[in-house]
Amino acid sequence: MDREAREHYSVVIQAKDMAGQVGGLSGSTTVNITLTDVNDNPPRFPQKHYQLYVPESAQVGSAVGKIKANDADTGSNADMTYSIINGDGMGIFSISTDKETREGILSLKKPLNYEKKKSYTLNIEGANTHLDFRFSHLGPFKDATMLKIIVGDVDEPPLFSMPSYVMEVYENAKIGTIVGTVLAQDPDSANSLVRYFINYNAEDDRFFNIDANTGTIKTTKVLDREETPWYNITVTASENDNPDLLSHVTVGIRVLDVNDNPPELAREYDIVVCENSKPGQVIHTISATDKDDFANGPRFNFFLDEHLPVNPNFTLKDNEDNTASILTRRRRFSRTVQDVYYLPIMISDGGIPSLSSSSTLTIRVCACERDGRVRTCHAEAFLSSAGLSTGALIAILLCVLILL
């Protein structure tokens, strides 16, 4: 019996008594018989050749088509899997099986390019997953077909030569200085001309412009690295024949440093010299900073102005580690004679050419303990300097009051 030819049968059965003689009684019943399926039919593709159209703009990972082989069996006996067994598109396409519909789903593994290859050929096989070896002589339980895939041409946006660009330009460069060039081409066979422009928001300061025909980027303002060391702009390319097709690329512009900032003191220094100081004693250490980058900053040089007379009170020693020490040149200082001294100094950086600046240090004279701790820096009254204590002064004032 063949279930695929006829699945249901009805049989009428009659029973008679008296061995079926005349005058006997009889009864009858109907038996309905349903044949169960066995896997005795291999899958078959309705056609030996198929053709499928896929546009080159199809996304990688997306389903681009379906194919199905028929199996006369039912249930698990009709289950099958699809596979690509040959063809020049094996690395471009993949196929999976939809268990519910028993269809082969063709997906894209790599992007298509009509300009490079216009068609692919795949040999696809569909095979039963559950085999019954009692019917292996009816096999093989698989079938194959050939699928030709036609790649459709799509008008694509311009393609930049690089996924992103990094360019460099020196600060203080003249307006109109060339920073660099971006390049985009029409990937289609039409090879339409490409135009360029920079995406700016309305509130953006426009430091650069681009030649619409060549893609050359130039400065429109003088750049200051100390203010903005890096710029990120977005360049858009469009085709002359189809302006709606746009491509975008990020361009990073690094502003290179020029030695245009002289060094200066790291902070305002409060320098104190004790009245009991000795010659050659270090009273303070100073350092400097530079707004330029490391190449145009340290090493710093500290020195006294050669055009000024030699300072008899203090001198400067360059420690050659970007710091300098202030030293005394004589013994003892007196607040009553002079309580503040000024020391002009010069600082130069390591840039080419080197820049220098002048600063003036303020040095206060203070009374100190023997261990060097500052006691007071304010000039005291004459009597106090003579050694009278606060209590003695009060007693003198009381005596004066009593006499009055």
Side-chain angles (χ1 to χ4, degrees):
M1 291 182 289
D2 187 2
R3 187 201 65 82
E4 287 71 34
R6 184 173 180 180
E7 185 176 5
H8 300 286
Y9 294 87
S10 294
V11 179
V12 178
I13 300 176
Q14 187 181 56
K16 291 183 179 181
D17 57 11
M18 295 181 63
Q21 297 181 9
V22 177
L25 300 178
S26 65
S28 62
T29 186
T30 300
V31 178
N32 293 316
I33 301 172
T34 300
L35 298 181
T36 58
D37 186 56
V38 296
N39 190 12
D40 59 348
N41 290 280
R44 289 288 182 264
F45 286 101
Q47 301 173 211
K48 289 300 180 183
H49 296 87
Y50 289 90
Q51 186 167 294
L52 177 66
Y53 173 86
V54 180
E56 63 175 333
S57 58
Q59 297 296 315
V60 173
S62 63
V64 296
K66 298 179 181 180
I67 194 169
K68 185 176 183 179
N70 298 325
D71 194 319
D73 298 318
T74 61
S76 62
N77 293 322
D79 290 342
M80 67 184 76
T81 57
Y82 297 89
S83 59
I84 300 174
I85 58 175
N86 202 353
D88 57 2
M90 292 184 66
I92 307 298
F93 299 91
S94 64
I95 193 168
S96 60
T97 304
D98 188 323
K99 294 183 179 181
E100 293 184 1
T101 63
R102 297 190 178 97
E103 293 176 320
I105 309 299
L106 198 67
S107 301
L108 189 62
K109 291 173 60 178
K110 295 181 179 180
L112 300 174
N113 191 330
Y114 173 83
E115 286 69 33
K116 291 184 178 180
K117 192 170 178 61
K118 296 178 174 56
S119 66
Y120 294 90
T121 300
L122 297 175
N123 291 322
I124 298 176
E125 181 182 83
N128 281 144
T129 55
H130 304 286
L131 300 179
D132 191 336
F133 293 102
R134 295 175 299 170
F135 307 100
S136 59
H137 63 282
L138 301 176
F141 284 82
K142 58 185 178 180
D143 194 21
T145 188
M146 187 180 72
L147 174 63
K148 184 177 182 180
I149 299 172
I150 306 299
V151 179
D153 187 21
V154 176
D155 194 2
E156 299 172 280
L159 182 64
F160 281 97
S161 60
M162 298 176 64
S164 62
Y165 294 84
V166 176
M167 302 176 181
E168 295 178 341
V169 62
Y170 280 99
E171 65 174 331
N172 302 331
K174 294 181 180 179
I175 295 175
T177 298
I178 295 177
V179 179
T181 302
V182 298
L183 176 64
Q185 292 182 330
D186 182 7
D188 300 311
S189 55
N191 196 20
S192 175
L193 294 177
V194 175
R195 295 183 65 82
Y196 307 90
F197 57 92
I198 298 176
N199 290 350
Y200 278 119
N201 295 323
E203 64 276 7
D204 287 346
D205 289 334
R206 304 191 176 190
F207 290 91
F208 307 94
N209 63 13
I210 190 169
D211 189 298
N213 297 315
T214 64
T216 300
I217 299 173
K218 298 181 180 180
T219 59
T220 58
K221 295 182 179 180
V222 176
L223 306 178
D224 185 359
R225 188 202 69 88
E226 286 71 42
E227 182 178 344
T228 307
W230 188 276
Y231 292 89
N232 284 312
I233 61 175
T234 301
V235 175
T236 300
S238 65
E239 296 180 12
N240 278 356
D241 296 341
N242 191 350
D244 294 332
L245 289 177
L246 304 175
S247 293
H248 309 278
V249 71
T250 300
V251 179
I253 300 175
R254 180 186 295 111
V255 182
L256 301 178
D257 186 48
V258 172
N259 192 20
D260 58 349
N261 290 278
E264 55 188 18
L265 289 175
R267 57 185 175 87
E268 292 186 3
Y269 289 97
D270 182 17
I271 303 177
V272 172
V273 61
C274 293
E275 288 181 313
N276 57 357
S277 295
K278 299 178 181 179
Q281 183 175 340
V282 176
I283 62 174
H284 209 89
T285 300
I286 61 174
S287 61
T289 60
D290 196 319
K291 293 180 181 179
D292 296 316
D293 67 8
F294 185 82
N296 290 314
R299 165 187 181 304
F300 298 120
N301 293 312
F302 300 83
F303 53 95
L304 298 178
D305 192 344
E306 297 177 353
H307 300 90
L308 296 178
V310 175
N311 192 305
N313 302 304
F314 304 96
T315 187
L316 184 69
K317 177 187 177 184
D318 192 332
N319 297 324
E320 298 184 355
D321 61 355
N322 297 320
T323 66
S325 297
I326 310 300
L327 294 85
T328 57
R329 297 192 67 176
R330 66 182 179 87
R331 184 184 302 276
R332 302 193 65 83
F333 293 83
S334 175
R335 290 173 294 158
T336 58
V337 176
Q338 185 174 345
D339 61 347
V340 176
Y341 292 87
Y342 298 99
L343 180 64
I345 65 169
M346 303 288 292
I347 311 172
S348 64
D349 59 24
I352 300 175
S354 177
L355 295 180
S356 62
S357 66
S358 61
S359 300
T360 300
L361 298 176
T362 301
I363 305 174
R364 297 185 297 143
V365 180
C366 298
C368 302
E369 304 289 351
R370 289 185 177 181
D371 58 3
R373 290 183 297 171
V374 176
R375 187 170 70 238
T376 178
C377 292
H378 300 289
E380 299 176 357
F382 175 79
L383 289 176
S384 178
S385 64
L388 295 176
S389 65
T390 303
L393 289 173
I394 294 174
I396 292 172
L397 289 174
L398 287 174
C399 290
V400 172
L401 289 173
I402 292 171
L403 289 175
L404 290 174

